[in-house]
Amino acid sequence: MNSSSAATRAHDVLSRPVAVGKLTLPNRLAMAPMTRQFSPGGVPGADVAEYYARRAAGDVGLIITEGTYVDHASAGTSDRVPRFHGDDALAGWAAVAEAVHRAGGRIFPQLWHVGMARTAGAPPVPEAPRVGPSGIPLDDSEPGHAMTLEDVDDVIAAFASAAAAAEERGFDGIELHGAHGYLIDQFLWAHTNRRDDAYGGDLLSRTRFAAEIVAACRRAVSPEFPIVFRMSQWKSGDYQARLATTPQELEAVLTPLAEAGVDAFHCSTRRYWLPEFDGSDLNLAGWARKLTGKATISVGSVGLDNEFIKAFQGERAGVAGIDELLDRMERDEFDVIAIGRALLADPEWAAKVLTGRIDELRPFDTQAFTTLH
């Protein structure tokens, strides 16, 4: 295929509008959520608005923000990560949403509770305990506090309050962070959930906490306001971890979430092209779409020649082709592809891909983590 034909193909495949619930996105490209710690005191400023608006102006169809802490004392582990509660932070977020909309984009905040990933004594609430379904850490750190039923109710209410605040401040939808070994995922994963009540045990019971968060958020917002659920098999520090070893087990996790009100699943993988289960080429997002009928977002090393973990080791990532991505999206394996590091390095990545300027794409280096761009 010559370069002109390849450019036309990329445009034709990626520029198609797509529905996420009742919301129509202008194309198939999203910005993946990436923690940056650029919000002192948890308040996003004008620089944060500029950062997201620049990507929206560069033809990203959906911006998913960095993780934002819900209103629970144990939710966070840094006072430079933005929160999604308090008049000051919410005013900052309203300005972010307005800036993205002026640039022609759509934006969802990612709502987050870190659970046992919290560092003991860390801000924003140093005295808050580390909490989880059973107080079991993902690593070899000290055990924390096993959540009581009152704790469970408080966290569910915090997510619902943040969802309502997102709609009130002009956002287009929300994403719930249920991946990577954070609190919601700690309930889903048998290793960290050893409870013997209704929130622990088999897969269905371990999914109850997540499903109740989804249902509470759905009640807190209007019916047309989209809810995306981010999930993963891998956990921070444990890349071999599995929630589901078969499609049937994955269906047991996803079905209650879909029934509770999830409009789309954002399936986090380290490499989007890898099959999730033996006997099929489908990746995790492909399986989620097949099993639930919901829209799905895929992610993982798009447009770069190494995976994200290399960035934390100081390694540069070169530009890679997207032919396999286009193959998968042409056959509607998944609906949207999220771009992470490539958009940090090059705010115009989407525009360049959609207009055939592949030769202008920039490589990624770790400086992209520490500069505004």
Side-chain angles (χ1 to χ4, degrees), residues 81-93:
V81 167
R83 48 188 160 85
F84 214 84
H85 60 91
D87 291 343
D88 51 355
L90 293 176
W93 279 119

Side-chain angles (χ1 to χ4, degrees), residues 138-191:
L138 278 74
D139 54 19
D140 58 0
S141 61
E142 289 294 319
H145 169 70
M147 291 170 63
T148 65
L149 294 180
E150 182 179 3
D151 294 329
V152 167
D153 290 343
D154 287 346
V155 171
I156 291 171
F159 274 96
S161 177
E167 186 169 29
E168 291 167 0
R169 268 67 178 186
F171 282 82
D172 300 290
I174 58 168
E175 176 169 285
L176 303 173
H177 197 341
H180 305 164
Y182 296 114
L183 181 63
I184 296 175
D185 197 20
Q186 289 161 24
F187 272 84
L188 295 173
W189 193 28
H191 175 73

Side-chain angles (χ1 to χ4, degrees), residues 1 11 16 28 42 59 64 99 110 119 124 145 161 184 206 219 230 262 267-268 291 317-318 325 339 342:
M1 182 180 294
H11 175 272
R16 296 172 296 161
R28 303 299 177 111
D59 289 343
I64 305 172
Q110 186 189 71
T119 300
H145 169 70
S161 177
I184 296 175
R206 297 200 307 272
R219 289 191 298 270
R230 195 175 210 210
V262 168
C267 301
S268 177
L291 293 170
L325 172 66
I339 317 300

